[in-house]
Amino acid sequence: MDTHAKKRQIIAIIDALRPELEAISLFLHQNPELGGQEHQAAQRLMEAARQRNFTVQQKISGYETAFIAKKGHSGPKIAFLAEYDALPGLGHACGHNLIAAMSWGAAAAFAEVAGNQAVSYLIGCPAEETSGAKVSMANDGVFDELTAALIVHPGDANNLGGTSYASHPLQVTFRGRSAHVASKTDKGSNALDALVMFYQGLQQLRHTFTQENIIAGMITKGGIAPNIVPAEAEAKFTIRALSSHYLETTILPAVQRLAQGVALATGTAVETCHYEPLFKELLNHPKLLQLYQNNMMLLGETVTRLKSQDADGSTDVGNVSHAVPTIHPDIAIGSPLTAHTPEFALAAGSPYAQERLLVGAKAMAMTAVDLLTTSL
């Protein structure tokens, strides 16, 4: 069977899977679960995989709700990444119910068409909105031997390319010495003054960097009473750049030097630590992008190619892309839409979105078919 015939078969299989894929998407939408607690979602996906004779390995990289389902024994190893966590108070306002269904549909269809020519993976990735299971999974080598990894995200346009911000969540704690503010003999050492000086210094420091960056944060601890000199003050920051290398070798060292300088000037001590994992920037693979774009066109879709430095958020898919050729395009489910809003959550459960997930599944599986005869 030639490539075009295989792609026609992909389309037919996914059309036949429509009731199952819609049922999965809507079940997740109606039963949202937070990151690391997606027990129903993971079970639903693993059961679907077992019914199609995928072998399933559970509890990956320390996550109860992470799994690897695969079918096939030789040839290219193509992974479809499933996300399924929801947002507090908003439900599936990032459309992960659709991502889970799209990736499962693509994995099931590709496995059937490829037969013994390839290995089809559905990799269940929890907690994208919080700790990012893919960070630990990438560190553990889960993606290292794959040929390619694909995931499609719902949005308000068929966008292709671009990147994401590398993100370094940093907690900064200054420690001084408490005293009563009215004491004439002991003025203490004010940790909050140090933290405020550091916060103000950051606003000046960020303008000295030569690459695009984002530095934002909030004070999470400022003292225990207004008449007591604060002995401890703490803040959490998100520090981002378009390059994880620049972030780690230039921005973070400068931030830490600033913190140490403030501590020295104020007679305090300072401690910095990560409070969440580092998300690396997304590296969309150019050849894989072109294959996907070609297949979207075969499906009658138009796509917008974004500039390589176009970024508007962070994702742990970036960590996957540093280990294996990866793409992370968007598929339109309505317009205008902004992720992490009630309107997006409503759109993710709409009949139109359930139609669109079929397009995403087909485009991914058809791209995987190309990889049976095309090297990256």
Side-chain angles (χ1 to χ4, degrees), residues 29 92-98 153-159 312 330-354 356:
H29 191 267
H92 279 287
C94 211
H96 291 186
N97 60 304
L98 300 167
H153 200 292
D156 64 358
N158 291 340
N159 289 329
D312 63 358
D330 295 333
I331 191 162
I333 64 166
S335 182
L337 284 176
T338 301
H340 294 207
T341 62
E343 293 76 18
F344 199 102
L346 187 64
S350 70
Y352 181 64
Q354 311 318 305
R356 299 298 292 165

Side-chain angles (χ1 to χ4, degrees), residues 3-4 6-7 10 74-80 110 113-114 117-120 146-151 285-292 294-295 324-327 363-376:
T3 298
H4 292 297
K6 285 185 173 71
K7 290 182 179 182
I10 287 287
S74 62
K77 299 177 179 180
I78 313 301
F80 306 93
F110 179 62
V113 170
Q117 293 181 280
V119 186
S120 179
L146 297 175
T147 304
L150 300 91
I151 181 172
H285 191 276
K287 191 169 183 179
L288 206 50
L289 282 177
Q290 189 59 55
L291 293 173
Y292 179 89
N294 294 344
N295 287 307
V324 60
T326 301
I327 56 169
M364 281 193 288
M366 291 162 69
T367 302
V369 165
D370 287 322
L371 297 178
L372 295 175
T373 56
T374 304
S375 59
L376 295 176

Side-chain angles (χ1 to χ4, degrees), residues 15 34 61-62 77 81 161 217 244 246 257 266 278 296 310 345 371:
D15 283 338
L34 300 182
S61 297
K77 299 177 179 180
L81 308 181
S244 54
Y246 187 76
R257 286 194 298 271
T266 57
L278 168 68
M296 285 289 279
D310 193 331
L371 297 178

Side-chain angles (χ1 to χ4, degrees), residues 5-80:
K6 285 185 173 71
K7 290 182 179 182
R8 290 193 295 270
Q9 190 178 2
I10 287 287
I11 293 170
I13 292 169
I14 290 175
D15 283 338
L17 279 171
R18 178 173 184 164
E20 177 183 340
L21 301 182
E22 285 189 5
I24 289 171
S25 171
L26 293 175
F27 176 82
L28 268 59
H29 191 267
Q30 294 160 10
N31 298 276
E33 299 167 295
L34 300 182
Q37 303 172 31
E38 316 98 319
H39 297 286
Q40 293 183 85
Q43 281 300 131
R44 187 75 180 248
L45 291 166
M46 287 189 292
E47 182 57 32
R50 290 190 182 102
Q51 287 179 2
R52 286 187 169 260
N53 298 315
F54 280 65
T55 59
V56 179
Q57 180 184 357
Q58 298 178 239
K59 300 180 181 179
I60 307 299
S61 297
Y63 282 87
E64 289 284 326
T65 53
F67 67 87
I68 300 172
K70 69 175 183 177
K71 188 175 182 180
H73 302 286
S74 62
K77 299 177 179 180
I78 313 301
F80 306 93

Side-chain angles (χ1 to χ4, degrees), residues 157-175:
N158 291 340
N159 289 329
L160 195 63
T163 185
S164 65
Y165 287 104
S167 173
H168 188 119
L170 189 71
Q171 179 174 296
V172 180
T173 305
F174 283 91
R175 292 186 174 88

